[in-house]
């Protein structure tokens, strides 16, 4: 029996990267996994197969997380096909970096829509299901820049700070129904994006981290599993920084 046996998890933006790692870890712990991405291409199909290979039900859904109507429809479909939604991970996200003086309205709007509005969309669609079940765990994927800010990322930082405040607010609203809401704030994580940075930039980052390494997607997935499971049954409204001590 895994920590999540018998539960259904919905992970947004999970065809690759951190979202995929979370989906795979949940499957290893026995959860059936539905995931979304903007398109379900070869990457998405491969992810679906990898999750299913863990011996659980798995399906990827093409859906624009920033679109309210699409979200309502895909959540309805997932509920019909999986029977329940016990865990929601709001992981969909993009970056469009730039200094405030040069940032366009389109850059601001796109990041807020994909990173923050998408979480509203999915929480709005999933909470009635969780309330009828009288239980559930909502996990917002924030960032350390949502706690501390970051020059050149005002749109991204604002969206991630919003995800933290959203989790805390939802935790207060529906805690009496047995639904918990928390946020994870990753620091410098080794992904395809960070691995593409020049070595000197990577080393500069790592020197700021007490554990002297970048985090792995598995580090994030492990914390997500804790928050999704009954191990954290008395934890809500919290933000856990998974950053190797970078911002302690």
């Amino acid at each position: 029996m895994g920590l999540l046996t018998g539960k259904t998890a919905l992970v947004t933006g999970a065809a690759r990267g951190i979202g995929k790692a979370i989906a795979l870890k949940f499957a290893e712990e026995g959860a059936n996994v539905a995931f979304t991405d903007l398109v379900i291409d070869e990457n998405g199909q491969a992810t679906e197969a990898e999750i299913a290979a863990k011996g659980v039900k798995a399906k990827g859904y093409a859906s624009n997380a920033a679109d309210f109507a699409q979200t309502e429809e895909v959540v309805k479909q997932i509920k019909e096909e999986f029977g329940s939604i016990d865990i929601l991970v709001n992981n969909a996200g993009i970056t469009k970096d730039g200094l405030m003086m040069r940032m366009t309205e389109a850059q601001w709007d796109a990041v807020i829509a994909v990173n923050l509005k998408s979480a509203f969309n999915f929480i709005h669609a999933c909470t009635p299901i969780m309330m009828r079940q009288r239980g559930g765990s909502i996990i917002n994927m924030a960032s350390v820049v949502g706690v501390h800010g970051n020059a050149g990322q005002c749109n991204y930082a604002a969206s991630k700070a919003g995800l933290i405040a959203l989790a805390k607010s939802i935790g207060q609203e529906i805690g009496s129904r047995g639904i918990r809401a928390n946020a994870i704030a990753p620091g410098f994580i080794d992904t395809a994006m960070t691995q593409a940075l020049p070595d000197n930039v990577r080393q500069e980052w790592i020197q700021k981290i007490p554990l002297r390494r970048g985090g792995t997607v598995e580090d994030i997935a492990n914390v997500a599993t804790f928050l999704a499971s009954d191990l954290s049954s008395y934890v809500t409204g919290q933000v856990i920084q998974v950053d190797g001590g970078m911002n302690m």
Side-chain angles (χ1 to χ4, degrees), residues 20-210:
K20 177 180 177 178
I22 291 171
L24 286 170
K25 182 65 177 177
F26 283 2
E28 286 176 10
E29 292 295 339
N32 296 316
V33 180
F35 69 93
T36 69
D37 220 300
L38 196 55
V39 294
I40 301 298
D41 53 13
E42 290 180 2
N43 280 325
Q45 291 166 3
T47 296
E48 183 180 302
E50 284 184 60
I51 297 169
K54 305 291 184 183
V56 300
K57 182 174 181 177
K59 186 170 180 180
Y61 297 81
S63 175
N64 178 1
D67 186 298
F68 184 85
Q70 280 191 38
T71 298
E72 293 280 327
E73 185 57 37
V74 78
V75 168
K76 180 182 176 183
Q77 193 177 347
I78 291 166
K79 172 64 168 65
E80 288 174 356
E81 294 183 20
F82 282 78
S84 69
I85 298 175
D86 307 288
I87 303 155
L88 169 64
V89 181
N90 288 307
N91 173 72
I94 59 170
T95 58
K96 290 186 180 293
D97 297 346
L99 296 172
M100 172 61 85
M101 294 292 288
R102 300 194 188 101
M103 185 171 289
T104 65
E105 182 183 13
Q107 285 174 306
W108 174 271
D109 288 348
V111 169
I112 296 299
V114 176
N115 296 9
L116 183 56
K117 183 173 183 286
S118 65
F120 162 76
N121 292 343
F122 274 91
I123 292 171
H124 189 276
C126 289
T127 47
I129 297 168
M130 291 181 174
M131 288 172 76
R132 286 192 292 272
Q133 296 168 177
R134 296 203 65 81
S137 176
I138 297 167
I139 303 167
N140 287 351
M141 294 304 302
S143 167
V144 291
V145 307
V147 180
H148 302 278
N150 195 34
Q153 286 193 306
C154 60
N155 50 0
Y156 185 76
S159 72
K160 295 301 186 176
L163 286 171
I164 291 169
L166 177 59
K168 290 176 178 288
S169 299
I170 292 299
Q172 292 181 40
E173 282 188 24
I174 54 181
S176 63
R177 303 298 185 96
I179 303 168
R180 300 178 295 106
N182 294 284
I184 298 174
F188 187 84
I189 306 300
D190 278 321
T191 63
M193 184 173 68
T194 56
Q195 286 166 5
L197 293 170
D199 281 345
N200 64 316
V201 174
R202 284 175 54 82
Q203 288 306 314
E204 187 178 330
W205 269 97
I206 288 169
Q207 288 306 308
K208 297 176 183 176
I209 300 170

